[in-house]
Amino acid sequence: MSDLDMEDVALALVAPSKGILAADESTGTIKKRLDSIGTASTEDSRRDYRELLFTATGASDYISGVILYDETLRQSSGTGTPFPELLKANGIIPGIKVDMGAKPLAFSNGELVTEGLDGLRERLSEYYSLGARFAKWRAVIAIKDGAPSQYCIDTNAHALARYAALCQEANIVPIVEPEVLMDGDHNIDECYAVTETTLKSVFDELYKQRVVLEQMLLKPNMVISGADCQEQAGAEEISDKTLYCFSQAVPSAVPGIVFLSGGQSEQQATENLNVMNQQGKQPWEISYSYGRALQSSALAAWQGKPENVAAAQAAFLHRAKLTSAARDGEYNAGME
């Protein structure tokens, strides 16, 4: 993997039938996941859970890359193999989450800006030496009470572009993740308007900061109804409005769009991805970078117990296989 240039890495991450596993939950987020199955969050339990995902036989048929958290990048399997080496040996590209989370944006009405640019150049150099070949930075845009402001969108876009430029300087492919959150009662058209505005601001900043579009991937939300909206759009409308929005805002030079699942159920995220891929060839590859939508069934099957590892791996592989089918437009609900 180390001999691939950034364009090759970007293309490998969105290869046919494959997508990215987001296993980069922060310590706080993974604690919530483990709490849900009654398992204490310790360095060992976090490692054990991630190891069962990474060592599932055949995962590389569906998973091109894995986004790791700083702790996980430095951990090793039970046999003593560092996780980045283990993934590479299985034909999976290791990646790393590099942002430090969203913090309150000064002089705004409760909006957020993602931090983590300080010292990022040095951290990227270390992450490259540890085996990471792509990175991720997430900006969160909320729709509520007059938000988002253009100030919030532009500030996050500027940070995303600075991050992306530093990644490319370090020979690491940046995944640029501007997420318009599903939280709220907004309808799909409100999501469309905010998503298009956000994407245009992001690509304007990427251009200004000399980011090479062929050497990056975009990880956005789908254009979708808010979770509390009374009228939930169906998969066909989600697909049509998402693809039209992206045709207006995302340059064709970008190799791929790896959608986040963003609060959708496993089946919903799979179905929506499938319908998009049934629309025919797009300027960019349409793939996935899912966290919960690839992991929920596996976590429930595992329950923190060593004797359940095989069942958890089977659940993970089943979900990955269905998501892979959706990435090729070949999924149907009967496969569940």
Side-chain angles (χ1 to χ4, degrees), residues 43-327:
E43 191 175 337
D44 285 343
S45 67
R46 294 190 293 270
R47 186 200 64 222
D48 291 346
Y49 173 58
R50 267 114 179 203
E51 182 172 359
L52 81 81
L53 298 174
F54 303 162
T55 56
T57 303
S60 61
D61 292 344
Y62 320 116
I63 304 297
S64 56
V66 176
I67 310 172
L68 304 170
Y69 190 58
D70 181 274
E71 174 187 75
T72 320
L73 185 75
R74 302 172 192 280
Q75 286 178 325
S76 297
S77 70
T79 59
T81 307
F83 278 145
E85 286 182 27
L86 183 146
L87 290 168
K88 279 198 280 192
N90 290 331
I92 296 173
I93 303 172
I96 178 71
K97 165 194 164 85
V98 300
D99 69 69
M100 296 296 191
K103 304 286 169 61
L105 175 62
F107 306 117
S108 78
N109 185 23
E111 294 184 280
L112 300 172
V113 63
T114 301
E115 296 187 347
L117 289 169
D118 286 355
L120 180 57
R121 175 180 275 124
E122 292 74 25
R123 285 191 289 129
L124 287 167
S125 176
E126 183 189 16
Y127 289 147
Y128 188 91
S129 72
L130 290 170
R133 291 298 175 265
F134 70 101
K136 190 202 85 167
W137 177 291
R138 173 175 177 251
V140 291
I141 308 293
I143 302 176
K144 61 179 181 184
D145 305 331
S149 64
Q150 193 64 47
Y151 164 47
C152 171
I153 291 171
D154 289 346
T155 306
N156 275 292
H158 183 82
L160 276 166
R162 284 194 61 197
Y163 140 81
L166 285 165
C167 282
Q168 291 185 345
E169 179 189 74
N171 207 30
I172 288 175
V173 171
I175 293 184
V176 172
E177 181 179 0
E179 178 179 4
V180 177
L181 297 173
M182 269 183 76
D183 304 344
D185 60 3
H186 54 276
N187 63 30
I188 190 170
D189 292 322
E190 291 175 274
C191 179
Y192 178 103
V194 173
T195 301
E196 183 179 20
T197 300
T198 299
L199 290 171
K200 286 181 172 175
S201 179
V202 167
F203 279 99
D204 185 45
E205 280 291 342
L206 290 167
Y207 173 73
K208 287 177 183 171
Q209 298 191 40
R210 305 179 180 183
V211 172
V212 180
L213 300 185
E214 290 86 351
Q215 298 173 355
M216 63 159 277
L217 295 173
L218 180 69
K219 178 173 177 173
N221 55 286
M222 297 177 192
V223 174
I224 196 167
S225 313
D228 300 325
C229 180
Q230 294 300 307
E231 291 185 37
Q232 289 289 318
E236 297 288 342
E237 186 178 3
I238 290 167
S239 170
D240 289 347
K241 287 186 172 168
T242 299
L243 291 176
Y244 186 77
C245 178
F246 284 72
S247 74
Q248 300 299 301
V250 181
S252 59
V254 175
I257 296 172
V258 290
F259 282 99
L260 56 89
S261 47
Q264 300 177 57
S265 70
E266 289 179 326
Q267 190 164 349
Q268 185 186 17
T270 308
E271 183 183 357
N272 289 333
L273 179 69
N274 185 63
V275 176
M276 275 190 269
N277 275 304
Q278 289 179 331
Q279 304 295 322
K281 186 150 180 63
Q282 304 297 328
W284 348 261
E285 296 294 329
I286 299 288
S287 188
Y288 52 92
S289 177
Y290 288 174
R292 271 178 292 181
L294 277 170
Q295 295 184 44
S296 292
S297 295
L299 188 65
W302 180 50
Q303 293 294 312
K305 296 179 176 141
E307 62 268 26
N308 292 341
V309 166
Q313 289 180 325
F316 170 59
L317 288 169
H318 177 66
R319 193 74 247 159
K321 183 177 183 180
L322 299 190
T323 312
S324 164
R327 191 256 176 268

Side-chain angles (χ1 to χ4, degrees), residues 9-22:
V9 171
L11 288 168
L13 288 169
V14 291
S17 308
K18 293 188 181 185
I20 296 167
L21 168 64

